[in-house]
């Protein structure tokens, strides 16, 4: 028996007259008065379903075929034929239909063929992959992930799996998830009455990582070009369409690179992965453009075709102050830009992705490289129309004395960073990198407005089902 | 200025006479009596270092060049020349040497050029990437990860990022890490005096995942061919060379597949990734064969060249009982095989990877598909010489009534599995999959004997530094 994926049948990989078996799920069934049923069959290999034309002569036509409903699983054997219908070149003239699994009570099947809200689908994260929209998101997400790995591999980067559990992440401890095996009903205590974490699994307080950057810098200081692609965590209690408690991050780190080098890397990477999606997932992107966001394809094409605009933070502040627009958050040199500012710059002022550079030192992290002006750091953000910040990066402070001044000024514990300081004590090199939230990338590409709909099982406050 | 990676210089990508700049770290320096220094420079792009021949005529020859020690970071500009020395075809005739970073007190530099034990290197996980062995492991690990993604992509699989934090993992709760944001000094209590997890971040008790399998089955039930590749966790208090608290797993899941289909998939995948390593990382593999395990290359080649042997568990038990060997753990039908048994079968009886199939039901997980004999399940393990079990998989029980019987017999809570049962209520299909511990794969390929040396920052009991 020759099994065929729906995508291969539709792409003409089999000759007309070939006998194949397609296995998948029923999307729709329609019966003609002439005693023929048209069963649309999908298997997730591509966006479209293939039409199986099922004649009433089959033995199980009335016992099985006429009872098929959306979601039933079947194997249909048949011969490839040219399709007379609209839209598709090939269909299947069925000679045998085998039912693997029925749908228990089709009337209450949660994925019954009608329009469901995104909120509703989120409650059925285990069944929503069967819908057009979640299937398309899954394939595009896969395509983007593959393209990211391929891009870095082709450029000579090595993938580093930085740790998920960490004991050294002291910065911003308020937003960390604790990882522990202590018996909560019977916590060990020190003499002072504090929790005795020396009894815990790792012998210390341990948390889920918020970024692999510091860890991956150690590898950039040996293998030159490296990147992470793994999950990161924020215990922020923010129930927004842009935040997840668990999300995937891509963090390249490049030895001997400066801010302009990684700005170019960010632009090259985005263009590469957008091109890959446009070429490899034209079917799904057509769906997003039709049903979700009519700019989905043109927006990506626009990014691919145009140079990113570079702009200094200081110049951006002047533009915002003089643009005649009233913002909710007032603008002046030294403030952190809000989403409304970022979107004005990217959407209205430039109309394309923009790379903002050289931010005030005091609003940025301790590890960012200080510029000679004494007040800014070599940081950059990539702002994209429609979504705002999509990438944040910087040159890293490679000078031990400058780094130490910064640690001291920010009251950060030297001991916690002793290994990080070692990288500056032994053969330090200028280096730079950036971070890209993978789900924001998928949302940007698909036009999906809620980030919870572009990850298989979203985790958010009060929500970690399945 | 034309920058060049060491691998490109050594591979002859530049013409003799071209001027390039190589940036990297000093591995060794040797000075000749004739007033020339030979500086070996590595940048992590490949195993080997490139030799820079530095003449004493350079302005900073005595102030800088003669002070270079292992680990110093430099940029060397020079012209490509044919190498008179042994081993390499090309070298660099230096015209300029710029030092980025010195090594603070070379005598106490932890990575000074002498033989370090693996235990010692583990204490310097942030510096060990600079060593030959950790650099080679990192590149081979990358190569394997890329090959895994490429293999599945080429075969039409979609990558699914299953959740790291989960509230539904009830099985084997003793080995789970708890994830929480509760204030440990001030835990909320219910009326009954128990911990009130409704106050916790996710509104329930939450843990780190031990496997993405159940979650990814939902995607196989819609997209047919899927796989996970992400971190998983075990809070086992086992300090062995084979266990990590945090490790990466690869879990393909295939709709309409049976046990033999995924046995073939496992064999094809292993052969594919081994071939990739032999072709793409010949330099690093030569090092492993020379320094770590002289069988490193021949073992992989042997796997690539030979068919895997399939064997029933029941037959394996007979072989073990009659082999004349005394085992620490006695053998009889129904026991779970120990490492000593697995290794005997793979190493002594067959001398090649072996696929053991159809294990007793009572030693396997609830989701494995029951065979018609009423006492075995359609499970398989791939056992590899030198390491034992490397892959474990099974067909999954797709029949709701049989699954429910199993849940009841094992006293597992139906409510916890209601979403998993839904997959059997709505268009259920036969399906199968397996799990491969990525670090065991890297250990197998490199011949490294401790799994902590094949992951960037190992996590184990009392150990989660950096």
């Amino acid at each position: 028996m020759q099994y065929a994926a729906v995508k291969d049948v539709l792409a003409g990989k089999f000759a007309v007259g070939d006998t194949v078996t397609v296995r998948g799920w029923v999307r729709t069934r329609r019966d003609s008065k002439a005693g023929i049923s048209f069963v649309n069959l999908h298997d997730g290999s591509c966006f479209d379903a293939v039409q199986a034309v099922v004649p009433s002569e089959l033995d199980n036509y009335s016992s099985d075929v006429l009872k098929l409903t959306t979601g039933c699983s079947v194997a249909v054997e048949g011969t490839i034929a040219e399709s007379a219908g609209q839209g598709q070149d090939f269909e299947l003239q069925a000679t045998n239909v085998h039912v693997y699994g029925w749908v228990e009570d089709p009337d209450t099947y949660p994925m019954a063929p009608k329009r469901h809200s995104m909120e509703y689908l989120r409650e059925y994260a285990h069944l929503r992959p069967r819908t057009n929209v979640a299937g398309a998101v899954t394939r595009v997400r896969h395509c983007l992930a593959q393209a990211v790995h391929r891009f870095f591999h082709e450029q000579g980067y090595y993938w580093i799996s930085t740790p998920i559990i960490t004991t050294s992440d002291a910065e911003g401890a308020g937003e960390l998830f604790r990882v522990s095996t202590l018996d909560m009903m019977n916590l060990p205590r020190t003499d002072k009455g504090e929790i005795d974490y020396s009894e815990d699994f790792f012998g210390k307080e341990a948390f889920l990582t918020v970024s692999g950057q510091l860890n991956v810098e150690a590898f950039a200081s040996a293998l030159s070009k490296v990147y992470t692609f793994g999950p990161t965590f924020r215990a922020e209690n923010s129930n927004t369409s842009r935040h997840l408690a668990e999300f995937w991050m891509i963090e390249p780190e490049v030895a001997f690179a400066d801010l302009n080098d990684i700005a170019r890397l960010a632009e090259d990477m985005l263009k590469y992965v957008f091109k890959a999606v446009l070429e490899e997932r034209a079917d799904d992107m057509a769906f997003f453009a039709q049903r979700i966001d009519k700019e989905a394809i043109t927006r990506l094409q626009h990014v691919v075709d145009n140079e990113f605009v570079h702009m200094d933070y200081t110049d951006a502040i002047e533009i915002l102050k003089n643009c005649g627009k009233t913002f909710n958050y007032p603008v002046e040199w030294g403030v952190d830009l809000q989403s409304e500012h970022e979107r004005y710059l990217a959407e209205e002022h430039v109309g394309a992705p923009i790379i903002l550079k050289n931010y005030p030192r005091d609003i940025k992290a301790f590890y960012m490289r200080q510029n000679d002006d004494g007040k800014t750091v070599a940081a950059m953000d990539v702002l994209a129309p429609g979504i705002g910040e999509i990438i944040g990066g910087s040159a890293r402070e490679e000078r031990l004395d400058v780094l130490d001044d910064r640690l001291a000024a920010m009251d950060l514990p030297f001991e916690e960073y002793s290994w990080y300081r070692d990288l500056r004590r032994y053969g330090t090199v200028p280096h730079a990198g950036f971070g890209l939230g993978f789900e924001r990338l998928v949302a940007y590409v698909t036009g999906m407005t809620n980030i919870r709909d572009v990850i298989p099982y979203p985790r958010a406050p009060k929500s970690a089902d399945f």
Side-chain angles (χ1 to χ4, degrees), chain A:
Chain A
M1 192 164 297
Q2 185 175 26
Y3 294 112
V6 171
K7 72 171 173 184
D8 291 334
V9 173
L10 296 181
K13 295 230 171 130
F14 298 95
V16 168
D18 277 5
T19 299
V20 302
T21 298
V22 173
R23 298 171 295 186
W25 293 265
V26 172
R27 184 143 274 157
T28 58
R29 191 196 88 233
R30 184 169 58 82
D31 310 313
S32 83
K33 285 171 190 158
I36 294 176
S37 290
F38 301 92
V39 177
N40 266 288
L41 208 60
H42 72 97
D43 66 358
S45 63
C46 59
F47 182 80
D48 288 306
V50 67
Q51 175 165 279
V53 182
V54 188
S56 58
E57 285 74 27
L58 296 194
D59 284 349
N60 61 342
Y61 184 75
S62 42
S63 61
D64 284 350
V65 177
L66 285 180
K67 291 176 184 161
L68 289 174
T69 58
T70 299
C72 289
S73 51
V74 294
V76 177
E77 187 183 54
T79 53
I80 306 281
E82 281 180 21
S83 177
Q86 72 291 49
Q88 292 181 347
D89 295 336
F90 301 98
E91 63 185 21
L92 204 58
Q93 297 283 352
T95 51
N96 192 287
V97 173
H98 169 74
V99 180
Y100 290 110
W102 297 99
V103 165
E104 190 184 297
D105 189 7
D107 291 339
T108 62
Y109 178 44
M111 297 295 115
K114 55 184 168 193
R115 196 131 184 142
H116 302 292
S117 72
M118 292 295 167
E119 292 74 18
Y120 174 87
L121 290 179
R122 244 170 264 151
E123 288 171 34
Y124 296 93
H126 62 308
L127 299 175
R128 70 176 179 175
R130 302 167 181 213
T131 63
N132 279 330
V133 63
V137 164
T138 303
R139 286 183 296 271
V140 166
R141 184 179 166 96
H142 164 81
C143 176
L144 286 166
Q146 289 282 327
V148 165
H149 282 299
R150 206 163 61 226
F151 171 79
F152 285 116
H153 180 67
E154 289 173 0
Q155 306 261 329
Y157 284 72
Y158 296 107
W159 174 68
I160 308 296
S161 51
T162 46
I164 312 301
I165 298 170
T166 175
T167 58
S168 79
D169 215 319
E171 215 202 344
E175 296 175 356
L176 299 178
F177 288 104
R178 170 177 288 107
V179 175
S180 172
T181 57
L182 290 178
D183 178 358
M184 298 284 266
M185 290 297 283
N186 200 4
L187 292 169
R189 304 262 174 179
T190 64
D191 293 346
K192 293 182 184 161
E194 290 164 345
I195 308 297
D196 185 3
Y197 288 108
S198 72
E199 300 274 309
D200 208 346
F201 189 90
F202 295 109
K204 297 188 195 178
E205 261 192 291
F207 303 97
L208 292 179
T209 184
V210 297
S211 160
Q213 180 204 315
L214 304 195
N215 290 287
V216 87
E217 281 186 53
F219 281 79
S221 304
L223 290 119
S224 300
K225 294 159 76 173
V226 293
Y227 71 107
T228 74
F229 189 162
T232 52
F233 304 85
R234 297 284 149 78
E236 273 178 72
N237 205 351
S238 40
N239 249 316
T240 80
S241 61
R242 286 167 52 84
H243 291 89
L244 289 164
E246 171 183 314
F247 58 100
W248 288 65
M249 279 255 278
I250 296 153
E251 297 175 291
E253 190 72 33
V254 196
F256 313 106
D258 63 18
L259 191 63
N260 285 325
D261 292 328
I262 56 143
R264 196 172 316 116
L265 182 69
E267 179 170 349
D268 289 347
M269 188 202 67
L270 288 175
K271 287 180 171 176
Y272 182 99
V273 303
F274 290 172
K275 257 189 235 174
V277 167
L278 291 171
E279 282 166 20
E280 297 169 25
R281 295 265 45 111
D283 58 345
D284 295 313
M285 289 309 296
F287 166 79
F288 288 119
Q290 198 189 346
R291 289 297 188 86
I292 303 295
D293 176 353
K294 65 180 177 3
E295 303 295 331
I297 293 173
T298 48
R299 183 172 49 228
L300 296 192
Q301 198 60 57
H302 183 74
V303 173
V304 169
D305 293 340
N306 289 280
E307 300 275 298
F308 286 19
V309 173
H310 287 229
M311 185 185 289
D312 250 47
Y313 167 90
T314 301
D315 296 330
I317 291 294
E318 285 309 304
I319 288 166
L320 291 167
K321 279 166 92 168
N322 299 318
C323 71
K325 216 176 145 91
T326 314
F327 295 108
N328 291 324
Y329 292 86
V331 177
E332 86 187 276
W333 200 96
V335 301
D336 209 356
L337 295 185
Q338 301 294 320
S339 191
E340 57 175 344
H341 309 134
E342 294 176 347
R343 295 185 64 159
Y344 172 80
L345 291 168
E347 288 162 28
E348 297 185 48
H349 186 75
V350 172
I354 175 171
I355 301 185
L356 270 195
K357 301 190 295 193
N358 300 313
Y359 283 78
R361 180 185 69 183
D362 294 338
I363 59 172
K364 290 292 185 182
F366 77 93
Y367 51 74
M368 296 193 176
R369 193 178 197 281
Q370 298 208 40
N371 290 325
D372 293 339
D373 62 15
K375 55 183 190 172
T376 62
V377 287
M380 66 141 198
D381 282 350
V382 179
L383 314 178
I387 197 162
E389 186 199 322
I390 190 167
I391 285 178
S394 78
R396 320 307 188 183
E397 186 54 74
E398 87 279 10
R399 297 161 296 187
L400 184 62
D401 53 341
V402 185
L403 180 71
D404 281 351
D405 285 350
R406 206 66 204 128
L407 285 170
M410 295 176 77
D411 218 14
L412 292 165
F414 274 54
E415 324 79 67
E416 287 287 329
Y417 295 98
S418 69
W419 67 267
Y420 189 70
R421 294 178 66 250
D422 276 357
L423 305 178
R424 279 76 183 163
R425 295 169 64 205
Y426 304 123
T428 190
V429 293
H431 61 292
F434 65 76
L436 166 65
F438 185 56
E439 281 71 25
R440 291 208 181 159
L441 181 71
V442 182
Y444 183 73
V445 166
T446 57
M448 299 291 286
T449 51
N450 194 315
I451 204 163
R452 297 185 198 192
D453 300 323
V454 300
I455 190 167
Y457 297 91
R459 269 73 180 101
K462 304 297 172 200
S463 169
D465 291 334
F466 309 101

